[in-house]
Amino acid sequence: AIPDGTLAERRASVDPEDIALLPYASGTSGYPKGVLLAHHAVVSSGFWAGELQGLTPGDRLCLPLPLAHVSGSVLGIVAGVTHGTTLIVPEGRSTFLLYAVLEKERCTSISGTPALFERLAQGGMGSRFTTDGLRTGLIAGGSCPASLIEKLLEGMHIPGMTSSYGLSEAAGLVTQTGPTDERSKRLETAGRPVPGMEVRVVEPGTSVPVPPGVQGEICCRGVGLMKGYHRMEMATAAAMDEEGWFHSGDLGFMDDDGFLTVSGRIKDIIVRDGENVYPREVEEFLSTMEGILDIQVVGVPAGPLEEEVGAFIILKDGYEHSAEDVRDFCRDRIAHYKVPQHIAFLESYPRSMSGKIQRYRLRELAVERFGPTRQEGVG
C-alpha cells in the first residue's frame, strides 16, 4: 500500500548487518549480558527453526514461549513469519489453558521449553482434549531428556517434534533435529548444526578440537552468531577467540555423523574424591525413578578443595519419597561417588524470565542448606 519509491528508500536505509535485537543472555549462571544480534542472524535462525519443523502457510503454531527472548521472538515469531504460518499466542501457560488453546485453535505445531512440555506430558489432561492435529513442534530453551522426547513422540502423538541446542549469543539456534532423522538421533542428541552455523568441540580452556565421541567444550560460529556483548568488550573478547569461535561454556560431544549431544556446563562439573561427576548424567539416571518429576544436581562445597553431590528434587503429585529412598534407588546402579549425599525436595526451581533454571541460585541454596557450616541437610 506504499509507493515503490518509499519502499526502495526504506530498503536502502537498513542493512543485514544492522542490529535487530538486543536480548539479554538469561543469567542462569550470573549477571545477564546484552547480546547484539544482526538482522541476518535473526532471520537465519528463525527460518531454519521453521524449516526443520516443516512449517507451511497451512500450519497453526501455538507459541507459549516468552516473546521478549530469542526462543519466542526468533524461534517462534520469525520462524512463523518466514513460512507464512499462523501464530497463536496463548494468554497464559497453565496446562489446562494450553490444551484448550491447542484444541480450539486446531494447532498443528507447538514450540516450548522442556519444563512446559514436561507439564503437558505429565498433566494427565491430554485425554480430555482433541489435539490430533498436532504434527510438529520445537523444544527450545534447555536440554531435553530422551524420556521426555519419547513421551511427546508417542504419548502426545506429535510425530514431527524436533529438539534443539541454542544460545542467545547464536540467535537461539545452533543445532536441531529433523523429523526424518533416525529415531535414536532424535531421542539422544540435539541434532546437527543448522545451515550457516559451524560447531566443533574443543578441549576446555583451549581451541584444540577433540575427536568424535570425546567430551569437550562446545564452540560455534556462523551467520547466527552475535556481533558481541553490548558495551562489554572484555566479556566479548573472553568468549570469542581469534578465529571467530564462540566458546559456550557448555560440555558435549559430536558423533561420527555430526550430531551433537549436550552433557552439561563446565562450571557445573563436581569434583568428588578426585572423580569428575557430571550433573546431567546423575539427573538422567534419577529421572527414571518413579515419582520424580524433575531433578537438578549441583556441587556442594565441603572444604577448600572438596565438593559433594547435592540434588534438588520436585516430585510428581501424589508421591512421597525420602532422601534415603533416593539413595537406595542409586545403590549398586551408579558409581558410589555419583550418589547424592545431600537431597532436598522443592516445589519449584528459581528461574530466569525466559524460564531457564538458574543453577547459580541453586548452588547458593545448596551452600545455605548443606554447606560446611551446616549439619547434613535433608529438606
Side-chain angles (χ1 to χ4, degrees):
I2 64 171
D4 291 343
T6 302
L7 176 60
E9 289 177 7
R10 292 180 182 177
R11 283 179 171 165
S13 70
V14 294
D15 186 272
E17 293 290 340
D18 290 343
I19 300 301
L21 288 180
L22 180 57
Y24 275 74
S26 58
T28 58
S29 58
Y31 192 76
K33 305 181 195 67
V35 178
L36 298 167
L37 294 177
H39 284 271
H40 69 91
V42 169
V43 173
S44 178
S45 286
F47 173 79
W48 287 111
E51 189 74 0
L52 291 168
Q53 291 176 72
L55 293 182
T56 70
D59 281 306
R60 299 173 65 82
L61 169 60
C62 180
L63 188 58
L65 283 165
L67 303 185
H69 299 272
V70 292
S71 56
S73 60
V74 178
L75 306 186
I77 293 176
V78 178
V81 169
T82 55
H83 289 77
T85 300
T86 299
L87 296 171
I88 310 296
V89 183
E91 294 182 1
R93 299 187 192 121
S94 73
T95 303
F96 178 86
L97 173 66
L98 290 179
Y99 268 114
V101 168
L102 291 172
E103 179 182 79
K104 179 182 178 182
E105 299 293 342
R106 306 181 309 284
C107 295
T108 59
S109 179
I110 179 172
S111 293
T113 63
L116 180 141
F117 281 117
E118 185 68 56
R119 293 202 306 273
L120 290 177
Q122 296 288 350
M125 209 170 284
S127 60
R128 297 170 54 183
F129 295 89
T130 302
T131 59
D132 295 344
L134 278 178
R135 66 172 188 82
T136 190
L138 173 64
I139 307 168
S143 298
C144 191
S147 57
L148 176 55
I149 299 174
E150 190 157 26
K151 290 175 188 174
L152 299 176
L153 294 176
E154 304 297 336
M156 289 189 67
H157 309 292
I158 311 178
M161 179 59 69
T162 67
S163 59
S164 65
Y165 165 70
L167 308 153
S168 297
E169 290 89 344
L173 192 65
V174 177
T175 66
Q176 186 173 335
T177 59
T180 60
D181 290 336
E182 294 179 14
R183 183 179 178 81
S184 62
K185 305 291 190 184
R186 297 177 68 187
L187 291 176
E188 299 168 9
T189 80
R192 286 180 287 196
V194 298
M197 289 296 289
E198 298 176 83
V199 175
R200 72 179 182 184
V201 181
V202 304
E203 294 180 10
T206 76
S207 295
V208 180
V210 298
V214 176
Q215 181 173 258
E217 183 182 15
I218 300 169
C219 299
C220 62
R221 69 178 180 184
V223 67
L225 198 61
M226 69 174 182
K227 299 177 79 69
Y229 291 118
H230 182 51
R231 297 178 179 174
M232 299 180 74
E233 293 182 3
M234 291 181 64
T236 301
M240 299 178 69
D241 65 25
E242 295 179 352
E243 295 181 348
W245 290 96
F246 175 77
H247 291 246
S248 69
D250 292 325
L251 289 169
F253 59 89
M254 296 189 77
D255 65 18
D256 291 326
D257 299 318
F259 284 81
L260 178 70
T261 296
V262 183
S263 52
R265 293 280 298 172
I266 292 175
K267 292 181 180 179
D268 291 339
I269 295 175
I270 303 165
V271 181
R272 179 180 175 188
D273 295 332
E275 299 281 357
N276 286 346
V277 178
Y278 297 95
R280 178 75 182 273
E281 181 184 1
V282 181
E283 291 164 0
E284 290 272 6
F285 169 75
L286 281 175
S287 68
T288 64
M289 181 178 179
E290 187 175 3
I292 289 183
L293 178 62
D294 201 351
I295 177 167
Q296 296 293 315
V297 171
V298 297
V300 181
L305 298 174
E306 298 180 39
E307 285 185 296
E308 295 172 342
V309 181
F312 291 103
I313 296 173
I314 297 177
L315 295 176
K316 297 177 184 177
D317 292 340
Y319 282 87
E320 291 185 10
H321 283 314
S322 67
E324 200 53 42
D325 292 335
V326 176
R327 295 192 187 98
D328 286 343
F329 182 80
C330 295
R331 201 160 285 126
D332 298 327
R333 290 188 176 95
I334 59 174
H336 70 91
Y337 60 85
K338 298 178 183 178
V339 178
Q341 292 164 286
H342 305 281
I343 297 168
F345 297 95
L346 304 179
E347 293 185 359
S348 63
Y349 298 128
R351 294 181 182 273
S352 67
M353 290 187 65
S354 62
K356 291 184 178 180
I357 296 170
Q358 295 176 310
R359 295 185 66 88
Y360 77 96
R361 293 271 305 277
L362 287 178
R363 287 192 288 270
E364 292 172 355
L365 183 59
V367 172
E368 292 174 11
R369 293 201 179 195
F370 312 132
T373 60
R374 302 276 183 147
Q375 298 287 332
E376 178 168 343
V378 177

